Amino acid sequence: MSAPEHLPEIDNGLLRFLTCGSVDDGKSTLIGRLLFDTKTILADTLNAIEKTSAKRGMSAVDLSLLTDGLQAEREQGITIDVAYRYFSTGRRKYIIADAPGHEQYTRNMVTAASTANLAIILIDARRGVLTQTRRHSYLASLVGIPHLVVAVNKMDLVDYDQAVFERIKADYLAFAGKLGIKDVRFIPISALAGDMIVDRGERLSWYDGPTLLDILENAPAAHTEQAEDFRFPVQFVCRPQDSANPALHDYRGFMGRVESGEIAVGDAVTVLPSGASSRVKAIELGAAALPRAIHEQSVTLLLEDEIDISRGDLIVKSAEAPEPVKQIDATVCWLAEAPLSPARTYLVRHTTREVKAKLAKIDYRLDVNTLEHEAASGLAMNDIARVTLKLAQPIVADRYADNRATGAFIIIDESTNNTVGAGMIG
């Protein structure tokens, strides 16, 4: 693998990926190494961490300082909050989420994973597959991350021994088979020394696969792997008030983001949950008129007919309309210190719609270490459970496995307005 400055100018789109695993397995150092070796660190930032490393008596630059941004993190030497970093090579733009390794920060890991399309599961070569390895792998699978890269790190501390790598690979595959994960790739690395990150190095000659950056550069982008139904949650109904401009008197546009699929002028659409139908008269992006809009574009739709549409409604293609539901079965991760109370009413925020909800039942709580199902009457922070929620008003949802935008929701405590849970439908 050559350095990124030698790569051809090919745009493979944005890739959001997550680094996770156990404590002290080198997640922050790996991200620092990626930024350092792709030459995407600003000079003043590099100077700052060089000085900090020198003050601590280190002979080399501590690259983990690039992501451990909080003072508390630096003092403890662990990652607490989710740290996001952005970088770009000649081929692709990246958003990295560095998830905490401690079990008590499971909610942070779920948050970081919810938007990722690839996860790097780090394993310390000296310690092999640990509880947190299994826990984070399960969570990555749960939130629908389609691609996993198992990076066996700190190979420099086991003399780059191929037998160690192969043993860990076999252990992990035995566990991954239970999760049904389809795309898992393995790579031996040393984040500290830089082996197999951006450059191949000279100490892992027995490994003939791609470097980590090669894998990232060629990973499929989200929305490119399967055709998706058109989903457009309405965020705002735009009715300009300008009596001096007659062209705006009858203007009524519906603003939002295309969460999936695409739409073109003339397409037949249905508004849910009302079921009213019309056709797309125009699509606007700022002042520009578009013939069509695709996923992740924020646009304004104008329809041919005057129908009642409000924030929280969902515009879909008429041939792809799901049924509104007032009860959902979902896997929920409880995020709050206050336990889930079956007696309380919560708010469920699904796309741009909010409805009141109550817990109908808990099917089971999951032990993510053993994958066993346990009986439960309530949920504590970091618990993951299969539940049924009853809703005061209908929502229009997809299975999370089919659509991560319209298959996910958050649970809000009405009294504090805090997010207390995250759920995946299906």
Side-chain angles (χ1 to χ4, degrees), residues 260-408:
S260 61
E262 62 180 55
I263 192 74
V265 173
D267 282 347
V269 295
T270 297
V271 182
L272 297 172
S274 71
S277 297
S278 184
R279 287 188 179 275
V280 177
K281 182 171 67 176
I283 302 172
E284 297 177 351
L285 178 60
L290 303 179
R292 61 194 283 267
I294 62 172
H295 56 82
E296 298 186 351
Q297 275 190 313
S298 294
V299 297
T300 302
L301 299 184
L302 285 80
L303 305 184
E304 291 181 353
D305 304 287
E306 286 284 341
I307 54 180
D308 183 20
I309 302 176
S310 305
R311 173 182 167 82
D313 287 345
L314 184 71
I315 299 178
V316 302
K317 286 185 178 177
S318 296
E320 302 170 347
E323 290 291 327
V325 295
K326 290 189 70 174
Q327 177 172 302
I328 52 176
D329 299 318
T331 301
V332 165
C333 180
W334 196 249
L335 309 177
E337 293 183 1
L340 169 66
S341 170
R344 288 195 55 186
T345 299
Y346 295 92
L347 276 179
V348 162
R349 179 177 296 164
H350 172 257
T351 62
T352 56
R353 190 174 186 83
E354 285 187 359
V355 299
K356 291 187 177 182
K358 289 197 71 168
L359 178 69
K361 64 174 180 175
I362 300 175
D363 291 325
Y364 59 81
R365 179 174 53 206
L366 185 84
D367 183 331
V368 295
N369 300 320
T370 64
L371 303 183
E372 292 181 351
H373 298 174
E374 304 171 339
S377 57
L379 298 179
M381 187 169 72
N382 293 325
D383 276 350
I384 295 171
R386 181 76 178 172
V387 306
T388 298
L389 297 172
K390 286 188 175 179
L391 311 177
Q393 296 173 316
I395 64 170
V396 184
D398 292 294
R399 292 172 61 247
Y400 184 80
D402 297 330
N403 193 311
R404 292 173 76 177
T406 52

Side-chain angles (χ1 to χ4, degrees), residues 129 134 137-138 141 148 150 169-184 186 371:
V129 176
R134 291 189 284 269
S137 298
Y138 174 78
S141 169
L148 296 187
V150 178
K169 180 178 176 180
D171 288 347
Y172 188 90
L173 282 173
F175 168 75
K178 302 175 186 175
L179 297 179
I181 300 172
K182 296 177 181 175
D183 183 15
V184 186
F186 295 86
L371 303 183

Side-chain angles (χ1 to χ4, degrees), residues 61-87:
V61 177
D62 182 0
L63 295 173
S64 69
L65 295 175
L66 282 168
T67 55
D68 290 340
L70 301 177
Q71 183 178 358
E73 292 177 339
R74 296 186 181 201
E75 289 173 351
Q76 296 184 52
I78 61 171
T79 300
I80 295 173
D81 203 357
V82 180
Y84 291 95
R85 287 294 180 272
Y86 310 87
F87 78 103

Side-chain angles (χ1 to χ4, degrees), residues 18-21 27 31 79-83 97-101 108-109 112 136:
L18 166 79
T19 59
C20 51
K27 297 184 293 297
I31 295 175
T79 300
I80 295 173
D81 203 357
V82 180
D98 183 16
N108 305 42
M109 191 278 179
H136 283 181

